[in-house]
Amino acid sequence: MELFRSHVLVCGGTGCTSSGSNMILENFEAELKKHQLENEVKVIQTGCFGLCEAGPVVIVYPDGTFYSHVKPEDVKEITEEHLLKGRVVRRLVYTDRGDHHDAGKPLDEISFYKHQTRIALRNCGVIDPENIDEYIAFDGYKALATCLTEKTPQDVLDLITEANLRGRGGGGFPAGKKWQFAANSKSDKKYVICNADEGDPGAFMDRSILEGDPHSVLEAMAICGYSIGSDEGYIYVRAEYPIAVERLETAIRQAREYGLLGKNILGTDFSFDIHLRLGAGAFVCGEETALMASIEGKRGEPRPKPPFPAVAGLFGKPTNINNVETYANVPHIINKGVEWFRSLGTEKSPGTKVFALGGKINNTGLVEISMGTPLRNVIYDIGGGIPKGKEFKAVQTGGPSGGCIPASLLDVPIEYDSLVEIGSMMGSGGMIVMDEDNCMVDIARFFLDFTVEESCGKCTPCRIGTKRMLEILDRIVEGKGRDGDIEKLERLAETISSSSLCGLGQTAPNPVLSTLRYFRDEYEAHIYEKRCPAHHCKKLLHLEITDNCRGCTACARVCPVEAISGEVRNKHYIDPDKCTKCFSCIEKCRFGAIVKV
């Protein structure tokens, strides 16, 4: 076994890879070889570290130096200064909240990380996801071995039930009950499915787990297979996740080579194997019955329930379906016990939840918090607040099926039931933050437009009803709203929610209903005053030049339609009939003299 004095961890998640982390890795290997350090320093490509805003990220151990925004050309300096001479490259060290006095803090003391509790993400950014030995070194496959050698299938079912692990895919249905239903079904064949068809705009939780810790999902699926009496599993993953797919393929191959998948696992009479199936990106295939139809080679459309998948699922056989994050919790629950898991979170929602934090927030990235954590803590303690000193306005949770939560409810605890009570939902974990410049009517229109595009069209309420709602919203943001539009939206929403075939259609009106609930005044301003309070909807605003204008002519020079006139060193004017509201003049003005009204 080789021993190294230092380890250089390079983020290999999708975000950092798109910013050149592969080249950073290659440059490190070349520089280490050049300085004959390849036997002293090991370079490791990991999964996502979580703090995407700081990427590409490099961490050097054992000292734990956290380098952010690293470029391939920085590798030479890090190698020669830090790895060769022991001098940290201060200009690249991550500074907590921009305070250079706090540069060089240990990872667990950085604001973004110290408020988190990592279970599903425990190995992401820690191990090489393409090396099964590293997973095993962190107690990997220990839970599977414990189940196969020390527990009966019913023991495992009881343990997951007692832990009250609720499904992390959105609905929050207890995983133990799901597994028990599948176990109780009598059949010559059963299946285990992992739903990795993550389709919410801005969501990347499941992708990051698959990229950073694929073996945790394989191990959990095997444990599920053992408990319900299944010998075959499928992971349905989006084809748009090429890194996740590649690492899953590697992990499955390695697990088979080690006898952890396949026939007679660990010398027992239990056999279980896993196959990948790639989805083409249809949002509706996140719904479990549509997903199964897609695996079967049929059009991805939901079917009525009952029968539920636990009774008649894939190929008509009893099937258990959970999402990536739900499975990622299972090995840790087996290893650490029910009491440990239930000590985290709340009584009704134990454990943690992973969120993809995005939008108008300083620290965009992947976070995992204990259930019950107030929204305010996520936005300000972990997320670092709103950029440019803007005011927080709302946060949207649950993707197209969720709702918008206003500033007045920032202290609401994040857990399944409390979010439903205020008109939103947990969803798979997307969390989009909005500031004072966001128009809530347009936000509702954006999410409904997504739902209309992604509707499978099988049932009339979803296929036709959401289009009618979108037409009304389109009119409102264009300044053509009519008296009675709000009431029409509410009636359509009620009909769609109560009569759509699947959960996606039933929750499609949620963004509209939640914005009507908390931001009704914005709808009324659009309709009755022909005004957008956020100064966002172009058809409802115009630009004016204030007395702050210095007559520098910069705005006039960039205007593509010559709508700005005025003499040098004199106040300029904008012709509203010519102005296309491209906002180039606002971006160019150095004096803040151009405003939206």
Side-chain angles (χ1 to χ4, degrees):
M1 178 180 176
E2 289 184 285
L3 295 177
F4 298 88
R5 64 173 172 85
S6 294
H7 286 75
V8 178
L9 274 56
V10 180
C11 176
T14 293
C16 286
T17 298
S18 67
S19 299
S21 69
N22 279 349
M23 190 174 296
I24 290 171
L25 189 79
E26 292 172 5
N27 286 2
F28 265 117
E29 291 171 345
E31 286 293 323
L32 292 176
K33 189 172 183 180
K34 172 183 171 183
H35 293 284
Q36 299 180 339
L37 293 174
E38 66 267 32
N39 295 323
E40 296 182 44
V41 179
K42 186 174 179 61
V43 184
I44 300 168
Q45 185 178 57
T46 71
C48 177
F49 286 98
L51 188 50
C52 300
E53 184 279 329
V57 169
V58 172
I59 300 183
V60 179
Y61 286 105
D63 48 304
T65 302
F66 188 111
Y67 290 121
S68 63
H69 302 295
V70 179
K71 299 181 177 62
E73 54 267 30
D74 294 325
V75 171
K76 185 176 186 292
E77 184 179 359
I78 295 173
T79 304
E80 293 178 352
E81 291 297 311
H82 191 157
L83 301 176
L84 197 60
K85 300 175 184 177
R87 297 194 293 236
V88 172
V89 182
R90 305 299 298 180
R91 69 178 183 85
L92 294 173
V93 174
Y94 176 76
T95 56
D96 198 8
R97 300 184 184 275
D99 186 349
H100 290 275
H101 294 291
D102 284 340
K105 277 184 177 180
L107 209 63
D108 58 3
E109 291 183 18
I110 292 173
S111 299
F112 180 81
Y113 294 103
K114 72 179 181 181
H115 299 285
Q116 297 189 44
T117 303
R118 292 190 149 207
I119 299 176
L121 299 178
R122 61 192 177 277
N123 290 331
C124 294
V126 177
I127 67 171
D128 177 355
E130 298 184 23
N131 187 336
I132 190 173
D133 292 328
E134 292 202 12
Y135 179 70
I136 291 172
F138 282 79
D139 291 334
Y141 291 104
K142 176 183 175 183
L144 177 60
T146 299
C147 292
L148 296 185
T149 59
E150 300 177 17
K151 298 184 184 297
T152 66
Q154 190 58 51
D155 289 338
V156 177
L157 294 169
D158 291 342
L159 196 152
I160 300 300
T161 301
E162 290 168 18
N164 194 23
L165 171 64
R166 298 179 68 172
R168 273 25 180 184
F173 190 82
K177 285 187 178 180
K178 245 188 183 183
W179 292 24
Q180 188 69 63
F181 290 152
N184 292 345
S185 295
K186 304 300 181 185
S187 178
D188 60 336
K189 183 75 176 179
K190 296 180 182 180
Y191 294 99
V192 174
I193 294 177
C194 175
N195 182 351
D197 190 61
E198 186 174 48
D200 291 3
F204 52 96
M205 301 76 58
D206 290 352
R207 185 196 75 200
S208 295
I209 293 172
L210 294 177
E211 290 176 353
D213 194 18
H215 284 284
S216 65
V217 175
L218 304 187
E219 181 178 13
M221 290 178 68
I223 291 170
C224 179
Y226 172 71
S227 70
I228 71 171
S230 168
D231 65 353
E232 191 170 5
Y234 287 88
I235 300 176
Y236 187 87
V237 60
R238 300 175 74 81
E240 298 98 326
Y241 289 175
I243 296 175
V245 170
E246 181 181 345
R247 290 178 185 168
L248 276 171
E249 290 172 341
T250 300
I252 290 171
R253 185 180 68 252
Q254 290 175 342
R256 286 171 181 162
E257 291 171 356
Y258 275 54
L260 297 165
L261 284 180
K263 298 289 185 183
N264 304 114
I265 295 174
L266 295 174
T268 68
D269 58 3
F270 173 63
S271 300
F272 187 81
D273 208 352
I274 294 174
H275 315 284
L276 292 186
R277 289 294 181 269
L278 304 188
F283 179 65
V284 73
C285 285
E287 197 277 335
E288 57 187 14
T289 60
L291 182 153
M292 291 186 295
S294 182
I295 292 178
E296 294 169 354
K298 301 171 185 173
R299 180 180 175 133
E301 292 180 334
R303 61 166 171 75
K305 293 182 286 189
F308 292 95
V311 176
L314 188 63
F315 302 115
K317 302 295 184 180
T319 303
N320 181 79
I321 304 180
N322 289 116
N323 83 323
V324 172
E325 186 185 343
T326 309
Y327 283 123
N329 278 273
V330 169
H332 230 39
I333 293 173
I334 302 292
N335 288 333
K336 300 197 111 180
V338 169
E339 289 186 8
W340 165 81
F341 184 74
R342 297 203 64 147
S343 71
L344 302 169
T346 66
E347 183 180 353
K348 292 184 178 180
S349 299
T352 61
K353 182 70 187 78
V354 180
F355 288 95
L357 188 60
K360 306 288 187 65
I361 192 80
N362 280 311
N363 296 334
T364 55
L366 207 63
V367 305
E368 184 171 4
I369 55 169
S370 291
M371 293 280 197
T373 300
L375 267 168
R376 185 181 302 277
N377 292 25
V378 177
I379 303 301
Y380 291 99
D381 295 336
I382 298 174
I386 315 303
K388 301 177 182 177
K390 299 279 188 176
E391 288 293 321
F392 169 85
K393 187 171 189 177
V395 60
Q396 205 271 353
T397 67
S401 302
C404 296
I405 303 168
S408 61
L409 296 175
L410 264 176
D411 292 312
V412 167
I414 300 172
E415 51 99 29
Y416 292 97
D417 303 322
S418 63
L419 291 183
V420 170
E421 285 175 10
I422 61 174
S424 189
M425 64 185 296
M426 187 82 72
S428 58
M431 188 177 281
I432 309 298
V433 181
M434 289 157 272
D435 70 9
E436 60 195 73
D437 295 332
N438 286 107
C439 169
M440 302 312 296
V441 182
D442 191 56
I443 288 292
R445 188 202 63 79
F446 168 80
F447 282 106
L448 197 64
D449 180 61
F450 177 87
T451 304
V452 168
E453 287 293 320
E454 294 293 339
S455 172
C456 74
K458 185 172 183 178
C459 70
T460 303
C462 181
R463 183 181 70 248
I464 304 298
T466 55
K467 284 184 180 179
R468 297 293 85 84
M469 289 185 73
L470 181 60
E471 288 168 359
I472 295 172
L473 289 172
D474 281 338
R475 281 196 291 101
I476 292 174
V477 299
E478 289 175 4
K480 301 175 183 177
R482 307 166 189 160
D483 188 20
D485 277 348
I486 291 176
E487 291 72 23
K488 285 180 183 177
L489 285 171
E490 290 173 330
R491 287 197 301 272
L492 281 166
E494 182 180 351
T495 301
I496 295 165
S497 297
S498 62
S499 56
S500 289
L501 176 61
C502 78
L504 300 184
Q506 292 160 13
T507 57
N510 281 355
V512 179
L513 290 173
S514 66
T515 50
L516 278 171
R517 180 176 178 180
Y518 298 115
F519 302 96
R520 196 181 192 92
D521 58 328
E522 290 199 25
Y523 281 84
E524 292 172 346
H526 280 71
I527 296 170
Y528 301 115
E529 301 172 33
K530 306 305 177 188
R531 176 178 65 87
C532 175
H535 299 129
H536 172 82
C537 299
K538 290 186 177 182
K539 295 292 180 69
L540 295 174
L541 65 84
H542 65 275
L543 302 184
E544 284 186 2
I545 297 179
T546 69
D547 291 338
N548 290 334
C549 178
R550 306 290 181 86
C552 69
T553 75
C555 57
R557 292 198 301 271
V558 298
C559 181
V561 292
E562 299 180 347
I564 302 176
S565 60
E567 299 296 326
V568 176
R569 297 183 182 177
N570 288 298
K571 182 180 176 181
H572 282 45
Y573 297 91
I574 299 175
D575 183 340
D577 294 327
K578 289 184 179 180
C579 179
T580 60
K581 298 159 190 169
C582 67
F583 307 138
S584 297
C585 54
I586 293 180
E587 294 172 6
K588 194 67 175 178
C589 181
R590 293 182 290 116
F591 308 105
I594 306 175
V595 295
K596 301 173 184 177
V597 292

